[in-house]
Amino acid sequence: MSVRTPDPNPGWLSDIALEETRSRVPILYVEAVPVRVDSLGLVESVGVLLRGSATGEMTHTLVSGRVMHGESVREALMRNLEKDLGPTAFPQLPVSTVPFTVGEYFPLPGVSPLHDPRQHAVALTYVVPVTGDCAPRQDALELSWLTPDELMRREILDNMEGGRGALVREALAHLGALPA
Amino acid sequence: MSVRTPDPNPGWLSDIALEETRSRVPILYVEAVPVRVDSLGLVESVGVLLRGSATGEMTHTLVSGRVMHGESVREALMRNLEKDLGPTAFPQLPVSTVPFTVGEYFPLPGVSPLHDPRQHAVALTYVVPVTGDCAPRQDALELSWLTPDELMRREILDNMEGGRGALVREALAHLGALPA
Amino acid sequence: MSVRTPDPNPGWLSDIALEETRSRVPILYVEAVPVRVDSLGLVESVGVLLRGSATGEMTHTLVSGRVMHGESVREALMRNLEKDLGPTAFPQLPVSTVPFTVGEYFPLPGVSPLHDPRQHAVALTYVVPVTGDCAPRQDALELSWLTPDELMRREILDNMEGGRGALVREALAHLGALPA
Amino acid sequence: MSVRTPDPNPGWLSDIALEETRSRVPILYVEAVPVRVDSLGLVESVGVLLRGSATGEMTHTLVSGRVMHGESVREALMRNLEKDLGPTAFPQLPVSTVPFTVGEYFPLPGVSPLHDPRQHAVALTYVVPVTGDCAPRQDALELSWLTPDELMRREILDNMEGGRGALVREALAHLGALPA
């Protein structure tokens, strides 16, 4: 008979269990493109995180994280937004859980524009307006707000972690704000 | 030579010009389903307006209005939200102008679920969370906030102006909140 | 040292590995609502499968199956359509992988309208027109084509496996074909 | 008393009536991005029309046309596809009338990426797979099928009629096929 206290967060896995699981099934993620919008809903700027990547370099990335066992997609989205943007970002979660795009990451580079050396991951990706102050926690060092034009000019999109610039381009297209 | 001062709002038409135009082309509308959502974006209640209909009866309806000449879809949506919900409703306009449904109203009943005796109208329809206080202006008498279950139970959907209950059902389905 | 030949389909898991994985992470599925459409794209009828459920009863269900490790969402959708509808169904896969709804199944009934006693599953769900002849294989016994009105009248939607009637209602709403 | 026979196609307007109407209300259009897709629904190439523009030059454009009075969006889409691609193109109309983007054309250049000197137009825009042979009729001289990479390389997108390259970019993003 087990005398362990129940796991307070059964969605979390040990490193070994997670690695094993990653070899067996695609892992479900949620990702978010944080945006500042004007009063008519038009995007003014996009928030990109500067973070240490899996390979040790500094790269720009999006809000991103696993959906835990037993957790709803909305709960996972809110938890990861708080994790990456802090408790006072006041994200406005989408009214529908239909993502604007489905990101497919494969362990081998070149299979798709998106790539994750750790795993096959599938990411439901959302645009999320935030109205408060963002204070990145955890491993993210910095959040930059850039206009669509600045994103293009500074070649950030071509160098985002795992190819996520493709997701940002798709987000901008969805918002009617993709520079020519 | 004209000495008239320029029309301050050239989008508005005289009754005669509007009637003539309505006989020539489909008229573009925007409509909105106002919702209250929880912190995760889940719909809690839907706002329906009680209004005198074109035929003189009191019916429930949605936020609705024409897109004026020269006006963007976002501007038309905001203007009609303010007209119907008042200046302190604080609507959160969608980040994308892609509607959740396209409503097609025909002058003859029975052609489609939606019907407008005045005209052939095509309505880009959006779900719009509102966070402030709503104070209907103009011809709307009252705004009621009803849960999805209440909407079904009170047979409101079956009697909305022009068949708009079909749009509310589609909105609830889109939000993952359509009662069985 | 293993002398086993390499697994020809590494996406498939042993029953034990699958059960263990199901206790750790949400499992990614694709589901499809097969439809017959007219030349203008309007839905005429919906295909529902009659199948032995996990609990041993006969229930109606949708085309459904896991996304395998290393498999793209499009490949998984095509594989499961062929598995459930046979090789001559000629499904027209959607041009975009954005689903019309994201189904969330939890092992405990009542958490959401969708329920799967085996697992926490998240299903990307698509409407797929089929133009050919459908010959269900595997464990599906029969495919019935029903009009939206027939689906409502025959109370099929209220009794679909795992609560999938909610997905069909959402599909019909998305298609503009939800009966009042 | 009029002894004219009834107008067989009341949706068509005289040049004078159309010009007058264009000064009064935004005109509703449907547009289509024709695509060839593989068996998994992935876009292989995009069809662009070469046509004499309103200003007399040869430019690339999309399938495009007004929605007539009394005509449904689906009917207008099919009629304009047949007009521009011929009777044997076999377009697969979308199952939902929700467009992938809403194009807003203003008479003044620079207000939005899209521009139409004749009018304020709002275009419901769809991606439409075609499986048959295309034989442009009317004023279109030629239909070219180009891969997403070719579209980028040949600078076609930057020079499409009325800025429609923005719509093609949005279509490619929606299809997950926007080159970096």
Side-chain angles (χ1 to χ4, degrees), chain D residues 86-107:
Chain D
T88 58
F90 299 125
Q92 297 174 353
L93 263 66
V95 292
S96 164
T97 55
V98 172
F100 78 88
T101 197
V102 175
E104 302 187 60
Y105 296 83
F106 291 97

mmCIF file of all heavy atoms in Angstrom, chain D residues 86-107:
data_model
loop_
_atom_site.group_PDB
_atom_site.id
_atom_site.type_symbol
_atom_site.label_atom_id
_atom_site.label_comp_id
_atom_site.label_asym_id
_atom_site.label_seq_id
_atom_site.Cartn_x
_atom_site.Cartn_y
_atom_site.Cartn_z
ATOM 1 N N GLY D 86 -13.780 29.278 -66.461
ATOM 2 C CA GLY D 86 -14.433 28.447 -67.462
ATOM 3 C C GLY D 86 -15.264 27.343 -66.845
ATOM 4 O O GLY D 86 -15.215 27.104 -65.639
ATOM 5 N N PRO D 87 -16.005 26.623 -67.706
ATOM 6 C CA PRO D 87 -17.003 25.675 -67.194
ATOM 7 C C PRO D 87 -16.444 24.325 -66.765
ATOM 8 O O PRO D 87 -17.165 23.515 -66.212
ATOM 9 C CB PRO D 87 -17.949 25.513 -68.393
ATOM 10 C CG PRO D 87 -17.087 25.777 -69.584
ATOM 11 C CD PRO D 87 -16.051 26.773 -69.161
ATOM 12 N N THR D 88 -15.164 24.063 -67.027
ATOM 13 C CA THR D 88 -14.634 22.731 -66.715
ATOM 14 C C THR D 88 -13.554 22.776 -65.629
ATOM 15 O O THR D 88 -12.725 21.871 -65.516
ATOM 16 C CB THR D 88 -14.036 22.078 -67.979
ATOM 17 O OG1 THR D 88 -13.013 22.946 -68.485
ATOM 18 C CG2 THR D 88 -15.096 21.845 -69.030
ATOM 19 N N ALA D 89 -13.562 23.849 -64.821
ATOM 20 C CA ALA D 89 -12.542 23.968 -63.769
ATOM 21 C C ALA D 89 -12.856 23.070 -62.572
ATOM 22 O O ALA D 89 -11.961 22.688 -61.828
ATOM 23 C CB ALA D 89 -12.438 25.425 -63.308
ATOM 24 N N PHE D 90 -14.126 22.727 -62.394
ATOM 25 C CA PHE D 90 -14.559 21.900 -61.263
ATOM 26 C C PHE D 90 -14.022 22.412 -59.928
ATOM 27 O O PHE D 90 -13.281 21.720 -59.224
ATOM 28 C CB PHE D 90 -14.180 20.437 -61.471
ATOM 29 C CG PHE D 90 -14.828 19.842 -62.684
ATOM 30 C CD1 PHE D 90 -14.071 19.244 -63.668
ATOM 31 C CD2 PHE D 90 -16.213 19.915 -62.864
ATOM 32 C CE1 PHE D 90 -14.668 18.725 -64.819
ATOM 33 C CE2 PHE D 90 -16.817 19.399 -64.009
ATOM 34 C CZ PHE D 90 -16.036 18.801 -64.982
ATOM 35 N N PRO D 91 -14.414 23.626 -59.559
ATOM 36 C CA PRO D 91 -13.998 24.160 -58.256
ATOM 37 C C PRO D 91 -14.713 23.426 -57.124
ATOM 38 O O PRO D 91 -15.870 23.041 -57.257
ATOM 39 C CB PRO D 91 -14.450 25.618 -58.320
ATOM 40 C CG PRO D 91 -15.575 25.636 -59.299
ATOM 41 C CD PRO D 91 -15.261 24.560 -60.313
ATOM 42 N N GLN D 92 -13.971 23.204 -56.033
ATOM 43 C CA GLN D 92 -14.565 22.606 -54.828
ATOM 44 C C GLN D 92 -14.890 23.733 -53.866
ATOM 45 O O GLN D 92 -14.014 24.193 -53.120
ATOM 46 C CB GLN D 92 -13.585 21.625 -54.190
ATOM 47 C CG GLN D 92 -13.268 20.443 -55.100
ATOM 48 C CD GLN D 92 -12.191 19.542 -54.529
ATOM 49 O OE1 GLN D 92 -11.582 19.851 -53.503
ATOM 50 N NE2 GLN D 92 -11.947 18.424 -55.167
ATOM 51 N N LEU D 93 -16.142 24.136 -53.859
ATOM 52 C CA LEU D 93 -16.514 25.264 -53.008
ATOM 53 C C LEU D 93 -16.345 24.911 -51.532
ATOM 54 O O LEU D 93 -16.545 23.766 -51.130
ATOM 55 C CB LEU D 93 -17.947 25.708 -53.308
ATOM 56 C CG LEU D 93 -18.002 26.907 -54.278
ATOM 57 C CD1 LEU D 93 -17.485 26.523 -55.631
ATOM 58 C CD2 LEU D 93 -19.384 27.506 -54.336
ATOM 59 N N PRO D 94 -15.970 25.917 -50.723
ATOM 60 C CA PRO D 94 -15.763 25.642 -49.300
ATOM 61 C C PRO D 94 -17.066 25.206 -48.633
ATOM 62 O O PRO D 94 -18.150 25.627 -49.038
ATOM 63 C CB PRO D 94 -15.278 26.984 -48.746
ATOM 64 C CG PRO D 94 -15.702 28.014 -49.739
ATOM 65 C CD PRO D 94 -15.726 27.324 -51.067
ATOM 66 N N VAL D 95 -16.945 24.370 -47.599
ATOM 67 C CA VAL D 95 -18.149 23.902 -46.899
ATOM 68 C C VAL D 95 -18.730 24.993 -46.013
ATOM 69 O O VAL D 95 -19.906 24.968 -45.675
ATOM 70 C CB VAL D 95 -17.859 22.636 -46.064
ATOM 71 C CG1 VAL D 95 -17.563 21.465 -46.987
ATOM 72 C CG2 VAL D 95 -16.716 22.856 -45.080
ATOM 73 N N SER D 96 -17.917 25.946 -45.624
ATOM 74 C CA SER D 96 -18.386 27.057 -44.802
ATOM 75 C C SER D 96 -18.233 28.353 -45.576
ATOM 76 O O SER D 96 -17.289 28.523 -46.338
ATOM 77 C CB SER D 96 -17.564 27.132 -43.513
ATOM 78 O OG SER D 96 -17.731 28.390 -42.881
ATOM 79 N N THR D 97 -19.164 29.296 -45.380
ATOM 80 C CA THR D 97 -19.043 30.591 -46.053
ATOM 81 C C THR D 97 -18.186 31.569 -45.259
ATOM 82 O O THR D 97 -18.071 32.732 -45.651
ATOM 83 C CB THR D 97 -20.432 31.223 -46.296
ATOM 84 O OG1 THR D 97 -21.113 31.303 -45.046
ATOM 85 C CG2 THR D 97 -21.236 30.416 -47.290
ATOM 86 N N VAL D 98 -17.591 31.122 -44.147
ATOM 87 C CA VAL D 98 -16.653 31.985 -43.429
ATOM 88 C C VAL D 98 -15.402 32.140 -44.284
ATOM 89 O O VAL D 98 -14.754 31.148 -44.627
ATOM 90 C CB VAL D 98 -16.287 31.405 -42.055
ATOM 91 C CG1 VAL D 98 -15.167 32.206 -41.408
ATOM 92 C CG2 VAL D 98 -17.511 31.391 -41.143
ATOM 93 N N PRO D 99 -15.062 33.376 -44.684
ATOM 94 C CA PRO D 99 -13.893 33.576 -45.539
ATOM 95 C C PRO D 99 -12.604 33.422 -44.739
ATOM 96 O O PRO D 99 -12.618 33.510 -43.517
ATOM 97 C CB PRO D 99 -14.062 35.024 -46.005
ATOM 98 C CG PRO D 99 -14.769 35.693 -44.870
ATOM 99 C CD PRO D 99 -15.696 34.648 -44.286
ATOM 100 N N PHE D 100 -11.477 33.185 -45.415
ATOM 101 C CA PHE D 100 -10.212 33.185 -44.664
ATOM 102 C C PHE D 100 -9.747 34.606 -44.397
ATOM 103 O O PHE D 100 -8.980 34.850 -43.470
ATOM 104 C CB PHE D 100 -9.131 32.354 -45.371
ATOM 105 C CG PHE D 100 -8.494 33.061 -46.546
ATOM 106 C CD1 PHE D 100 -7.385 33.881 -46.360
ATOM 107 C CD2 PHE D 100 -8.998 32.928 -47.817
ATOM 108 C CE1 PHE D 100 -6.799 34.556 -47.429
ATOM 109 C CE2 PHE D 100 -8.426 33.584 -48.894
ATOM 110 C CZ PHE D 100 -7.331 34.398 -48.701
ATOM 111 N N THR D 101 -10.232 35.562 -45.203
ATOM 112 C CA THR D 101 -9.950 36.963 -44.907
ATOM 113 C C THR D 101 -11.023 37.836 -45.535
ATOM 114 O O THR D 101 -11.717 37.416 -46.472
ATOM 115 C CB THR D 101 -8.548 37.390 -45.401
ATOM 116 O OG1 THR D 101 -8.173 38.613 -44.764
ATOM 117 C CG2 THR D 101 -8.528 37.606 -46.912
ATOM 118 N N VAL D 102 -11.169 39.042 -44.982
ATOM 119 C CA VAL D 102 -12.109 40.030 -45.502
ATOM 120 C C VAL D 102 -11.282 41.165 -46.095
ATOM 121 O O VAL D 102 -10.573 41.869 -45.368
ATOM 122 C CB VAL D 102 -13.026 40.572 -44.384
ATOM 123 C CG1 VAL D 102 -13.921 41.692 -44.908
ATOM 124 C CG2 VAL D 102 -13.859 39.450 -43.780
ATOM 125 N N GLY D 103 -11.336 41.303 -47.414
ATOM 126 C CA GLY D 103 -10.557 42.350 -48.076
ATOM 127 C C GLY D 103 -11.330 43.648 -48.112
ATOM 128 O O GLY D 103 -12.491 43.664 -48.520
ATOM 129 N N GLU D 104 -10.682 44.746 -47.701
ATOM 130 C CA GLU D 104 -11.348 46.051 -47.721
ATOM 131 C C GLU D 104 -10.608 46.970 -48.689
ATOM 132 O O GLU D 104 -9.469 47.351 -48.446
ATOM 133 C CB GLU D 104 -11.379 46.653 -46.316
ATOM 134 C CG GLU D 104 -12.091 45.761 -45.307
ATOM 135 C CD GLU D 104 -12.276 46.435 -43.942
ATOM 136 O OE1 GLU D 104 -12.920 47.488 -43.880
ATOM 137 O OE2 GLU D 104 -11.766 45.891 -42.948
ATOM 138 N N TYR D 105 -11.289 47.310 -49.786
ATOM 139 C CA TYR D 105 -10.741 48.170 -50.829
ATOM 140 C C TYR D 105 -11.327 49.570 -50.684
ATOM 141 O O TYR D 105 -12.546 49.731 -50.641
ATOM 142 C CB TYR D 105 -11.127 47.657 -52.215
ATOM 143 C CG TYR D 105 -10.571 46.308 -52.575
ATOM 144 C CD1 TYR D 105 -11.193 45.134 -52.152
ATOM 145 C CD2 TYR D 105 -9.430 46.193 -53.354
ATOM 146 C CE1 TYR D 105 -10.690 43.887 -52.482
ATOM 147 C CE2 TYR D 105 -8.918 44.954 -53.701
ATOM 148 C CZ TYR D 105 -9.552 43.805 -53.255
ATOM 149 O OH TYR D 105 -9.050 42.570 -53.590
ATOM 150 N N PHE D 106 -10.461 50.585 -50.656
ATOM 151 C CA PHE D 106 -10.942 51.958 -50.606
ATOM 152 C C PHE D 106 -10.535 52.685 -51.885
ATOM 153 O O PHE D 106 -9.524 52.336 -52.509
ATOM 154 C CB PHE D 106 -10.391 52.663 -49.373
ATOM 155 C CG PHE D 106 -10.976 52.113 -48.099
ATOM 156 C CD1 PHE D 106 -10.302 51.159 -47.353
ATOM 157 C CD2 PHE D 106 -12.233 52.538 -47.674
ATOM 158 C CE1 PHE D 106 -10.869 50.635 -46.196
ATOM 159 C CE2 PHE D 106 -12.797 52.024 -46.514
ATOM 160 C CZ PHE D 106 -12.120 51.072 -45.776
ATOM 161 N N PRO D 107 -11.343 53.706 -52.264
ATOM 162 C CA PRO D 107 -11.025 54.424 -53.515
ATOM 163 C C PRO D 107 -9.724 55.217 -53.428
ATOM 164 O O PRO D 107 -9.054 55.403 -54.446
ATOM 165 C CB PRO D 107 -12.216 55.371 -53.719
ATOM 166 C CG PRO D 107 -13.250 54.994 -52.714
ATOM 167 C CD PRO D 107 -12.606 54.155 -51.659
#
